[in-house]
């Protein structure tokens, strides 16, 4: 297996999302693509992303990036999260004490902050997340610039890819938007970027820290359901480094409201033989094990609580 397909597992269609997986070209899809293009052109967003990438360069070169301690980060995030929600944590003792990959399902943009508010401050876990989503609002830029510990992934969104594909298929009204996206929105697929991500991950593990990934590679649409197939990134990097994968089920975060109970359920760590160049069979076997582990952690018949849902709209859009 070549290096490029392994590293490309974080992104969009250019990183293995099929055309059939793209959304329909609705008004909402086009509007979302326009929003993404605007973010990519926004100097404040670009500067924040570039600064975060510089910090990752420092890390991959063996230095120490500027970031808050794990304890400070947890205190601040816990105060924020537990002011708004009730949090239930199950089987936290299953989380490995050293370098590991946390692989969770993904229902809402609040998920990484929820997890980081509850796990121990050591080992330190780095968030891998969509660059523009992380830095699209001024207050998020302020928080993340202070906290650090973020590896921003530059990639095109499915909505942007849908616009590009529609232009290729003959939609003349989409050509200008498609050309602008291709010109101004990075794919994140350059060899230099992919090698830097690989080097950063190796350094993180070498320092006995961990990474937090969302195995679906996108937001799920329903509680208790995984969006399949899972992306390969979580298991590939665990296989190459010989570190365990910690499956985590997140329950209740799809539809937020004030005071809602959110559950974090930790599964037994998955351990695989180290493989510097994982074969397709090794990746497939590990990915299948992770898929079943996540399914076992999620409720089979989730029932959304009834009653008054205060600030529902605000809380669900707060981190978008």
């Amino acid at each position: 297996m070549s290096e490029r397909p392994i590293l490309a597992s974080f992104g969009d269609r250019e990183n293995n999302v099929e055309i059939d997986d793209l959304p329909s070209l609705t008004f909402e899809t086009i509007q979302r693509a326009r929003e993404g293009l605007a973010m990519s052109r926004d100097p404040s967003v670009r500067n924040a992303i570039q600064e975060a990438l510089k910090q990752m360069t420092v890390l991959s070169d063996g230095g120490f990036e500027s970031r808050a301690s794990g304890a400070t980060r947890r205190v601040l995030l816990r105060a924020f999260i537990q002011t708004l929600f009730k949090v239930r944590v199950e089987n936290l003792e299953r989380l490995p004490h050293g370098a590991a990959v946390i692989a969770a399902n993904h229902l809402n943009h609040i998920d990484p902050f929820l997890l980081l508010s509850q796990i121990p401050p050591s080992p330190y876990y780095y968030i891998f997340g969509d660059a523009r989503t992380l830095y699209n609002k001024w207050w998020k830029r302020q928080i993340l610039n202070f906290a650090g510990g973020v590896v921003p992934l530059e990639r095109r969104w499915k909505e942007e890819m849908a616009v590009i594909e529609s232009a290729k298929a003959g939609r003349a009204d989409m050509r200008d938007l498609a050309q602008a996206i291709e010109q101004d929105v990075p794919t994140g697929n350059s060899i230099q970027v992919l090698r830097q991500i690989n080097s950063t991950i190796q350094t993180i593990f070498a320092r006995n820290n961990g990474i937090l990934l969302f195995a679906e590679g996108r937001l799920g649409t329903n509680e208790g359901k995984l969006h399949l197939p899972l992306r390969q990134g979580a298991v590939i990097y665990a296989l190459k480094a010989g570190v365990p994968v910690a499956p985590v089920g997140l329950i209740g975060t799809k539809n937020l409201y004030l005071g809602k109970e959110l559950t974090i359920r930790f599964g037994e760590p998955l351990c695989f033989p180290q493989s510097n160049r994982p074969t397709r069979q090794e990746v497939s076997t590990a990915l299948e094990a992770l898929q079943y582990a996540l399914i076992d952690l999620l409720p089979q018949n989730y029932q959304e609580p009834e009653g008054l849902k205060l600030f529902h709209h605000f809380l669900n859009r707060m981190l978008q």
Side-chain angles (χ1 to χ4, degrees):
M1 183 179 293
S2 66
E3 184 179 73
R4 185 176 177 84
I6 289 176
L7 292 175
S9 59
F10 286 110
D12 46 35
R13 177 174 178 258
E14 292 161 324
N15 294 10
N16 300 331
V17 172
E18 301 295 335
I19 293 177
D20 291 343
D21 195 38
L22 296 177
S24 301
L25 197 66
T26 63
F27 172 81
E28 289 76 15
T29 300
I30 297 170
Q31 185 63 26
R32 180 66 172 161
R34 293 187 187 280
E35 290 173 359
L37 176 62
M39 290 178 203
S40 190
R41 289 173 166 176
D42 186 322
S44 297
V45 176
R46 294 300 322 158
N47 290 340
I49 294 171
Q50 291 306 313
E51 182 58 35
L53 291 174
K54 286 180 184 178
Q55 294 299 318
M56 290 305 99
T57 300
V58 170
L59 181 63
S60 60
D61 288 345
F64 290 88
E65 80 283 15
S66 175
R67 62 170 172 82
S69 68
T72 299
R73 181 175 67 176
R74 184 174 70 161
V75 167
L76 294 176
L77 287 174
R78 183 170 290 191
F80 167 63
I81 294 291
Q82 295 188 177
T83 297
L84 300 172
F85 312 105
K86 300 174 183 176
V87 182
R88 177 184 177 90
V89 181
E90 298 179 2
N91 305 315
L92 179 59
E93 70 279 0
R94 292 174 173 174
L95 184 64
H97 296 294
V101 176
I102 289 181
N105 64 308
H106 196 16
L107 294 165
N108 194 293
H109 294 294
I110 204 169
D111 292 343
F113 306 105
L114 173 65
L115 271 166
L116 293 174
S117 75
Q118 302 301 317
I119 62 176
S122 180
Y124 188 94
Y125 277 89
Y126 288 79
I127 307 172
F128 280 66
D130 178 80
R132 286 175 290 166
T133 302
L134 287 168
Y135 294 105
N136 64 343
K137 295 180 180 178
W138 70 268
W139 59 270
K140 285 199 282 185
R141 292 194 290 272
Q142 294 295 321
I143 293 172
L144 292 174
N145 287 341
F146 165 75
V150 175
V151 181
L153 304 176
E154 296 203 272
R155 54 191 177 184
R156 288 180 183 162
W157 297 347
K158 297 189 305 301
E159 293 87 352
E160 292 165 335
M161 292 305 303
V163 168
I164 292 173
E165 292 299 329
S166 72
K168 290 179 180 177
R171 282 285 299 268
D173 59 325
M174 290 292 104
R175 287 176 187 167
D176 288 347
L177 179 57
Q179 289 175 0
I181 291 169
E182 291 185 313
Q183 176 180 322
D184 294 335
V185 179
T187 65
N189 266 353
S190 72
I191 294 297
Q192 179 182 358
V193 169
L194 298 174
R195 285 177 174 169
Q196 182 175 359
I197 292 173
N198 192 46
S199 177
T200 298
I201 292 174
Q202 290 175 346
T203 302
I204 289 170
F205 289 148
R207 293 180 177 177
N208 213 33
N209 291 319
I211 61 176
L212 167 58
L213 295 174
F214 293 99
E216 295 158 288
R218 53 163 288 178
L219 289 176
T221 55
N222 295 295
E223 288 278 359
K225 303 288 185 182
L226 289 178
H227 186 272
L228 301 175
L230 300 180
R231 297 290 181 253
Q232 299 178 353
V235 299
I236 287 174
Y237 286 108
L239 286 166
K240 293 179 72 173
V243 302
V245 177
V248 179
L250 300 177
I251 304 164
T253 66
K254 183 60 184 176
N255 291 299
L256 301 174
Y257 55 86
L258 188 64
K260 187 177 185 182
E261 181 174 275
L262 311 178
T263 299
I264 306 173
R265 184 174 293 161
F266 290 85
E268 292 288 352
L270 304 174
C271 299
F272 310 103
Q274 184 174 5
S275 177
N276 292 327
R277 296 181 62 84
T279 65
R280 291 185 183 276
Q281 184 58 50
E282 288 171 330
V283 172
S284 177
T285 298
L287 203 61
E288 184 177 30
L290 175 58
Q291 176 180 321
Y292 287 130
L294 287 172
I295 290 173
D296 285 344
L297 292 170
L298 299 178
Q300 294 184 357
N301 298 295
Y302 178 83
Q303 297 294 320
E304 187 68 27
E306 297 181 356
L308 186 63
K309 295 176 172 58
L310 294 173
F311 303 112
H312 173 270
H313 182 75
F314 169 74
L315 291 174
N316 281 297
R317 294 187 61 83
M318 177 174 59
L319 293 174
Q320 288 185 5

